[in-house]
């Protein structure tokens, strides 16, 4: 993906998204250098209050980041977690009992009214409230007791890219802080992100396979499942291809019947227990003759119809999602360009979605 901003390319479709995708290694470095100490301090203050349960609140791309945090919190800390249904308080006026519950609200802008109202209600109900946003001056940050700035810088393209990976890394560092860890496994991420994004030509060639796709299925398990959901969202909002995301376990419970040798299936294979759990699903997909595209370790890619090899050697499973989404962001961008559309400005979308 080129990020040239010369006069001749200044108005090309997708230039803003391309530039923001390319910024991600620098954003990851900034979080590790500048954000990590503040995140660690926030985590220490919350840990002292010994939350007994965690509720995660978000919409859209941030909802996929929140799902990643759910895996982290349940696996790394053993804390039970739930994803909230905001309408229970904003539309139905429910009054949950939230004493000693940590409510984490993830939002790029921090401006959606339902997120603000839900967080305010949670705080009034006794919750420990934490906002994770890209805007420390947002209404959401103002109503929350604690705030983490993900330090992604202004994001102008409608599809969220750098704010997603910035949210993942910030949430990872938060969970590491809550458990007294140092977050060292994340230090390799910026350099590996550079390597992945330098392979844009490889993704462009792969994207040609899917220019005329009428539907896609995306699947994963474990830490990779939020990546599958986010990749599906990116494909739908940029290229308008209906993309259905499933946990590999759920895919076997019925939806596998719709898989054929025409509709592409993208499998996100995390190198670790999640990938091992996905193996029976990959075997079934190959048995059905699926057009299988794998993002993951080299052996899994070589056994598929196509794919993108991730540099996962020595990378902790829990931080691999920050790398997994990068080639899929590139894929969404390249498929959209190949279909003659502009990924910077998907139809009918706004940067701040004001749900209530």
């Amino acid at each position: 993906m080129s990020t040239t901003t010369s006069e001749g390319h200044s108005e090309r479709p997708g230039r803003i998204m391309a530039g923001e995708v390319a910024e991600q290694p620098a954003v990851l470095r900034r979080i590790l250098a500048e954000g990590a100490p503040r995140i660690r301090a926030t985590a220490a203050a919350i840990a002292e209050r010994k939350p007994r349960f965690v509720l995660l609140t978000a919409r859209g791309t941030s909802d996929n980041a929140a799902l990643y945090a759910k895996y982290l919190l349940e696996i790394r800390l053993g804390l039970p977690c739930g994803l909230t249904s905001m309408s229970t308080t904003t539309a139905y006026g429910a009054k949950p009992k939230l004493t000693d519950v940590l409510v984490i609200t993830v939002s790029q802008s921090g401006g959606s009214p339902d997120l603000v109202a839900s967080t305010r209600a949670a705080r009034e109900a006794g919750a420990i409230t934490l906002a994770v946003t890209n805007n420390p001056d947002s209404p959401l940050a103002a109503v929350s007791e604690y705030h983490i700035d993900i330090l992604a810088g202004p994001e102008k393209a409608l599809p969220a890219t750098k704010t997603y990976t910035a949210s993942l890394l910030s949430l990872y560092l938060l969970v590491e802080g809550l458990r007294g860890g140092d977050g060292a496994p994340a230090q390799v991420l910026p350099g590996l992100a550079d390597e992945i994004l330098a392979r844009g030509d490889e993704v462009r060639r792969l994207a040609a396979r899917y220019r005329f796709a009428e539907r896609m299925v995306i699947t994963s398990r474990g830490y990779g499942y939020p990546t599958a959901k986010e990749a599906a969202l990116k494909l739908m909002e940029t290229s308008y291809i209906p993309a259905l995301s499933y946990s590999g376990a759920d895919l076997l419970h019925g939806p596998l019947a719709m898989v054929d040798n025409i509709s592409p299936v993208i499998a996100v294979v995390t190198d670790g227990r999640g990938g091992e759990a996905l193996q029976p699903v990959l075997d079934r997909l190959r048995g059905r003759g699926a057009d299988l595209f794998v993002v993951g370790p080299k052996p899994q890619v070589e056994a598929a119809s196509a794919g993108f090899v991730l540099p996962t050697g020595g990378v902790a499973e829990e931080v691999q999602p920050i790398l997994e989404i990068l080639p899929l962001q590139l894929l969404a961008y390249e498929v959209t360009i190949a279909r003659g559309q502009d990924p910077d400005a998907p139809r009918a979308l706004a940067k701040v979605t004001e749900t209530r």
Side-chain angles (χ1 to χ4, degrees), residues 242-262:
L244 307 173
S245 60
Y246 294 98
S247 157
D250 289 332
L251 185 63
L252 296 182
H253 285 268
L256 184 68
M258 70 178 173
V259 173
D260 52 30
N261 61 358
I262 298 174

Side-chain angles (χ1 to χ4, degrees), residues 17-329:
M17 181 179 176
E20 290 174 352
V21 167
E23 284 180 47
Q24 289 176 103
V27 172
L28 298 177
R29 288 187 177 95
R30 183 159 59 243
I31 294 168
L32 291 170
E34 301 174 22
R38 285 174 283 186
I39 294 172
R40 195 157 44 243
T42 299
I46 293 172
E48 285 184 1
R49 298 174 65 174
K50 295 181 172 57
R52 58 185 173 85
F53 190 88
V54 181
L55 288 174
L56 294 145
T57 305
R59 298 281 194 200
T61 284
S62 294
D63 199 34
N64 299 327
L67 180 59
Y68 168 71
K70 184 176 189 292
Y71 276 91
L72 287 172
L73 287 158
E74 291 186 342
I75 295 169
R76 307 284 286 171
L77 290 181
L79 272 177
C81 298
L83 300 175
T84 62
S85 299
M86 282 173 275
S87 61
T88 60
T89 54
T90 61
Y92 291 92
K95 303 291 185 183
K97 298 177 178 65
L98 298 178
T99 302
D100 298 328
V101 173
L102 172 60
V103 173
I104 303 174
T105 307
V106 187
S107 171
Q108 299 149 39
S109 69
S112 186
D114 59 348
L115 294 170
V116 175
S118 177
T119 301
R120 182 186 292 110
R123 190 169 182 179
E124 291 171 353
I128 306 161
T129 53
L130 167 65
V132 179
T133 82
N134 196 38
N135 182 2
D137 298 320
S138 63
L140 178 59
V143 300
S144 301
E145 188 174 357
Y146 300 99
H147 177 256
I148 289 174
D149 183 353
I150 65 172
L151 300 175
E155 188 172 59
K156 297 180 180 179
L158 285 175
T161 54
K162 64 178 182 174
T163 53
Y164 179 69
T165 50
S167 295
L168 296 192
L169 179 53
S170 298
L171 288 163
Y172 168 75
L173 293 173
L174 170 70
V175 174
E176 283 298 285
L178 290 172
R179 64 188 293 269
D182 60 6
Q187 295 298 325
V188 301
L189 296 175
L192 293 175
D194 274 323
E195 291 179 22
I196 292 169
L197 294 177
R199 295 162 60 191
D201 289 344
E202 183 181 336
V203 177
R204 189 174 301 114
R205 290 191 295 271
L206 290 166
R209 296 169 60 96
Y210 308 119
R211 178 179 179 182
F212 300 108
E214 296 182 0
R215 181 185 66 201
M216 287 189 180
V217 173
I218 307 173
T219 188
S220 189
R221 289 203 69 179
Y223 285 114
Y225 181 41
T227 306
K229 292 176 67 67
E230 175 61 12
L233 178 59
K234 283 292 148 297
L235 283 161
M236 287 189 288
E237 70 183 356
T238 56
S239 69
Y240 317 141
I241 296 174
L244 307 173
S245 60
Y246 294 98
S247 157
D250 289 332
L251 185 63
L252 296 182
H253 285 268
L256 184 68
M258 70 178 173
V259 173
D260 52 30
N261 61 358
I262 298 174
S263 299
V265 178
I266 297 175
V268 180
V269 184
T270 304
D271 192 359
R273 294 187 183 182
E276 292 168 7
L278 190 65
Q279 188 59 53
V281 182
L282 299 175
D283 293 340
R284 292 283 298 276
L285 289 169
R286 282 190 282 263
R288 291 185 62 83
D291 179 0
L292 182 60
F293 177 107
V294 167
V295 175
K298 186 175 182 179
Q300 295 291 356
V301 172
E302 290 178 341
S305 308
F308 187 98
V309 176
L310 279 180
T312 56
V315 181
E317 181 178 3
E318 60 268 20
V319 298
Q320 288 179 35
I322 299 168
L323 302 177
E324 289 168 348
I325 192 59
L326 300 178
L328 294 167
Q329 290 174 344

